[in-house]
């Protein structure tokens, strides 16, 4: 038997109803803040991520699904199927997107979205990372994210944007009925602060790094900040002794961070400062944040994000375009809402049971009319025995079964049976949609 690939999974009803519930709440909330949806490709050129996310990050060094898209490399049978006359295309390294911010910023630059006033964008979609699968951690997972990008003249680098984005997330989680969360924030400084801090880290690591894992030994040389991504338990006591970024923030970064905190307090968004929060992606500057959720266990980070003031230039923008954004782990968000799946799944309002020769035709038309009235209808088939149709109606979650037989069609009134009580009444065709809706509301 062929099964889903390790780290991927099928999302099935009734859980898909919960995913839809989450996504529609998200769209409602984002709309109130005037974000517009963007959909970028699932795969991009590899260098978008190695440049954007950072060559020394775990994502780029270990977790990306990358392939060489080169017709020349296609071997034997496939090559002959394509045919030798086919033009050979340029070779390219391609990667399944491990995150969506780099793609959004690429699209922002490529289509000059600024000129169209499109600088607040959100996305919902799958991302891919070759991580060790466990509960809450998958190789195909889903992120819901939003980005505010724009020229400095539009105020996109101001602390108000940070506070607004964090306030939106606080509002969104509460709207979904989640309250058991903590927002951690930190400032990881601008590029000048980071250079000084990286130097300090390098010095602090020198005498101790030989006792650390091989990844950390590499990071200590190439990009010491990434040492904080280490999950090896033996390395943690050493990491605890390393200098903190807060001691290396310049006046501007400090002021920015203080302003963000003051604004959050005004907006009644609770937070905790976590001086060791650095996030696993290189593009962040200044504000970095993470929300954790109590009920999620080991994988308790429900979303993360931050500011990325230099990313656009890194990806080829001539104009600076500071930005701030986040990505919510949708799988984990849905996990936090587990138990509400059946409540959010809409079942059939009624089941139409055609009984007797020629009745399928009448039933099809009646089903069409009721569906056009906004009702959810499951349609049987006259080849089934009535008992079978009753069972099917129950399985479909229908509350009523509408019998379509010769007498009903002649009278233009249908027998409607309440599947819970067994009560049966005759309802004229014209009154049927209204009656079903009325009963449904109870
Ligand atoms: P990141 O893009 O690493 O900042 O992650 C943002 C959020 O995406 C995290 O807080 C998680 O909720 C979620 N996430 C990241 N990686 C995975 C994964 N492998 N499986 C499920 N969710 C993930």
């Amino acid at each position: 038997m062929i099964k889903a690939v390790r780290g991927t999974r099928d999302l099935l009803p009734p859980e898909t109803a919960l995913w839809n519930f989450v996504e529609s709440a998200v769209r409602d909330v984002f709309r109130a803040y005037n974000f517009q949806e963007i959909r970028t490709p699932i795969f991009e050129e590899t260098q978008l991520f190695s440049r954007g996310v950072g060559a020394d990050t775990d994502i780029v060094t270990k977790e990306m699904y990358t392939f060489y898209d080169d017709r020349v490399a296609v071997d034997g049978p496939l090559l002959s199927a394509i045919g030798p006359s086919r033009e050979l295309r340029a070779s390219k390294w391609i990667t399944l997107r491990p995150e969506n911010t780099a793609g959004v910023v690429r699209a922002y630059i490529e289509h000059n979205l600024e000129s169209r006033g499109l600088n607040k964008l959100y996305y919902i979609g799958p991302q891919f990372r070759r991580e060790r699968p466990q509960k809450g951690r998958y190789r195909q997972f889903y992120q819901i994210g939003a980005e505010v990008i724009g020229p400095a003249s539009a105020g996109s680098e101001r602390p108000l944007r940070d506070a607004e984005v964090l306030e939106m997330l606080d509002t969104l989680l509460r709207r979904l009925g989640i309250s058991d969360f903590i927002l951690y924030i930190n400032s990881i400084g601008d590029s000048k602060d980071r250079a000084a801090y990286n130097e300090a880290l390098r010095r602090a690591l020198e005498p101790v790094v030989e006792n650390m894992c091989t990844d950390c030994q590499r990071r200590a040389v190439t990009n010491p900040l990434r040492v904080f991504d280490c999950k090896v338990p033996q390395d943690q006591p050493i990491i605890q002794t390393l200098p903190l970024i807060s001691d290396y923030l310049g006046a501007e970064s400090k002021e920015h961070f203080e302003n963000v905190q003051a604004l959050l307090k005004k907006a009644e968004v609770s937070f905790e400062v976590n001086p060791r929060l650095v996030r696993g992606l290189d593009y962040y500057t200044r504000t970095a944040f993470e929300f954790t959720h109590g009920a999620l266990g080991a994988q308790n980070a429900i979303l993360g994000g931050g500011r990325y003031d230099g990313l656009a230039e890194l990806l080829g923008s001539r104009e600076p375009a500071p930005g701030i954004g986040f990505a919510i782990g949708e799988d984990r968000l849905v996990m936090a809402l587990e138990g509400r799946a059946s409540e959010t799944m809409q079942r059939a309002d009624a089941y139409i049971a055609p009984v007797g020769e020629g009745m399928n035709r009448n039933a099809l038309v009646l089903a069409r009319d009721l569906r056009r009235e906004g009702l959810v209808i499951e349609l049987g088939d006259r080849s089934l025995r009535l008992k079978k149709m009753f069972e099917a109606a129950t399985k479909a979650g229908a509350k009523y079964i509408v019998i379509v037989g010769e007498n009903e069609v002649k009278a233009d009134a249908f027998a409607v049976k309440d599947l819970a009580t067994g009560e049966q009444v005759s309802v004229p065709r014209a009154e049927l949609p209204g009656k079903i809706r009325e009963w449904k509301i109870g």
Side-chain angles (χ1 to χ4, degrees), residues 186-188 193-208 212 224-228 236-249 274-278:
N186 192 22
S187 174
I188 54 173
D193 310 336
R194 285 267 283 281
Y197 180 53
N198 263 327
E199 221 11 75
L201 278 180
R202 202 169 275 138
R203 276 199 304 275
L205 282 165
E206 236 166 44
V208 290
M212 299 180 82
L225 188 74
R226 297 270 65 92
V227 163
F228 289 100
Q236 299 312 311
I238 299 177
I239 291 170
Q240 288 298 319
T241 65
L242 294 174
L244 294 175
I245 179 76
S246 46
D247 295 326
Y248 293 83
L249 294 182
N274 175 359
R276 289 186 200 281
L277 178 76
V278 299

Side-chain angles (χ1 to χ4, degrees), residues 88-314:
L88 297 175
R89 288 178 301 169
S91 327
K92 279 217 170 105
W93 285 102
I94 300 289
T95 293
L96 299 188
R97 63 185 191 197
E99 61 94 61
N100 220 154
T101 299
V104 171
V105 174
R106 177 202 47 71
Y108 171 85
I109 301 166
E110 185 172 337
H111 306 291
N112 192 12
L113 295 184
E114 175 52 34
S115 67
R116 294 193 241 161
L118 296 172
N119 65 335
K120 290 165 82 176
L121 301 162
Y122 79 89
Y123 59 83
I124 300 176
Q127 317 294 337
F128 305 84
R129 295 183 196 172
R130 195 191 279 103
E131 296 195 80
R132 196 137 59 84
Q134 53 181 280
K135 193 170 165 60
R137 195 200 280 163
Y138 310 99
R139 290 180 167 180
Q140 174 172 337
F141 60 100
Y142 294 80
Q143 285 186 334
I144 298 171
E147 318 288 350
V148 185
I149 324 167
S153 58
S156 60
E157 93 295 10
R158 306 279 305 142
L160 180 59
R161 292 287 85 85
D162 310 36
E164 187 185 22
V165 162
L166 288 166
E167 184 277 317
M168 174 168 87
L169 285 166
D170 184 83
T171 296
L172 172 64
L173 294 180
R174 288 179 199 285
R175 159 88 181 263
L176 287 169
I178 297 175
S179 53
D180 181 17
F181 62 83
I182 304 175
L183 160 60
Y184 292 102
I185 60 172
N186 192 22
S187 174
I188 54 173
D190 59 23
S191 52
K192 286 193 303 288
D193 310 336
R194 285 267 283 281
Y197 180 53
N198 263 327
E199 221 11 75
L201 278 180
R202 202 169 275 138
R203 276 199 304 275
L205 282 165
E206 236 166 44
V208 290
V209 77
E210 60 184 320
N211 304 321
M212 299 180 82
C213 68
T214 50
D215 278 340
C216 282
Q217 295 184 8
R218 176 177 46 81
R219 292 163 175 149
V221 178
T222 55
N223 191 350
L225 188 74
R226 297 270 65 92
V227 163
F228 289 100
D229 302 339
C230 177
K231 293 177 191 83
V232 176
Q234 293 87 313
D235 287 4
Q236 299 312 311
I238 299 177
I239 291 170
Q240 288 298 319
T241 65
L242 294 174
L244 294 175
I245 179 76
S246 46
D247 295 326
Y248 293 83
L249 294 182
E252 277 179 32
S253 297
K254 241 186 215 156
E255 191 192 336
H256 184 99
F257 194 37
E258 277 159 15
N259 275 328
V260 172
Q261 294 181 54
L263 286 163
L264 289 177
K265 282 182 191 148
K266 261 276 174 262
E268 292 163 3
V269 175
S270 316
F271 63 89
E272 286 178 30
V273 173
N274 175 359
R276 289 186 200 281
L277 178 76
V278 299
R279 316 272 308 122
L281 301 88
D282 270 354
Y283 53 60
Y284 288 117
T285 52
R286 300 196 182 176
T287 314
F289 57 84
E290 211 160 77
F291 283 70
T292 62
H293 185 268
L296 289 181
Q299 305 304 317
N300 67 354
I302 201 163
L303 73 93
R307 192 161 260 300
Y308 44 82
D309 291 347
L311 182 60
E313 289 113 296
L314 204 63

Side-chain angles (χ1 to χ4, degrees), residues 22-91:
V22 163
E23 287 170 18
S24 82
V26 159
R27 288 175 197 281
D28 278 356
V29 172
F30 288 178
R31 192 173 305 126
Y33 292 76
N34 202 26
F35 279 84
Q36 312 284 337
E37 183 172 1
I38 182 167
R39 301 187 190 197
T40 65
I42 299 281
F43 55 82
E44 299 263 8
E45 281 192 41
T46 304
Q47 57 167 331
L48 176 69
F49 306 112
S50 50
R51 256 203 261 168
V53 176
D56 300 311
T57 57
D58 276 357
I59 294 178
V60 171
T61 55
K62 302 181 200 164
E63 297 169 359
M64 296 205 304
Y65 285 96
T66 295
F67 57 98
Y68 198 52
D69 184 14
D70 179 5
R71 283 282 173 81
V72 187
V74 173
D75 57 12
L78 197 50
L79 184 60
S80 52
I82 294 166
S85 62
R86 275 291 172 92
E87 210 179 290
L88 297 175
R89 288 178 301 169
S91 327

Side-chain angles (χ1 to χ4, degrees), residues 253-422:
S253 297
K254 241 186 215 156
E255 191 192 336
H256 184 99
F257 194 37
E258 277 159 15
N259 275 328
V260 172
Q261 294 181 54
L263 286 163
L264 289 177
K265 282 182 191 148
K266 261 276 174 262
E268 292 163 3
V269 175
S270 316
F271 63 89
E272 286 178 30
V273 173
N274 175 359
R276 289 186 200 281
L277 178 76
V278 299
R279 316 272 308 122
L281 301 88
D282 270 354
Y283 53 60
Y284 288 117
T285 52
R286 300 196 182 176
T287 314
F289 57 84
E290 211 160 77
F291 283 70
T292 62
H293 185 268
L296 289 181
Q299 305 304 317
N300 67 354
I302 201 163
L303 73 93
R307 192 161 260 300
Y308 44 82
D309 291 347
L311 182 60
E313 289 113 296
L314 204 63
L315 297 180
S317 174
R318 262 176 277 136
E319 299 299 320
I324 181 161
F326 59 82
I328 306 172
E330 191 176 1
D331 305 73
R332 296 185 193 174
L333 188 59
V334 168
M335 256 166 77
L337 295 171
E338 242 160 40
R340 289 176 58 184
S342 46
E343 180 194 320
T344 50
M345 184 165 101
Q346 190 180 6
R347 305 304 310 267
D349 294 316
Y351 184 102
I352 296 184
V355 182
E357 185 76 36
M359 287 304 129
N360 270 356
R361 266 171 277 162
N362 295 294
L364 179 65
V365 172
L366 181 64
R368 180 200 66 189
D369 293 347
L370 294 180
R371 285 165 176 159
R372 284 184 181 175
E373 292 284 338
L375 293 167
V376 181
I377 302 296
E378 187 69 41
L379 178 59
D381 187 288
R382 76 165 193 83
S383 69
L384 299 174
R385 300 234 307 279
L386 197 54
K387 185 164 169 278
K388 270 267 171 270
M389 286 200 274
F390 269 82
E391 284 167 15
T394 308
K395 261 198 196 148
K399 294 188 189 68
Y400 304 98
I401 191 159
V402 181
I403 314 282
V404 178
E406 207 169 329
N407 292 340
E408 278 84 3
V409 170
K410 260 193 213 133
D412 209 24
F414 299 91
V416 181
K417 197 178 179 92
D418 183 327
L419 282 161
T421 63

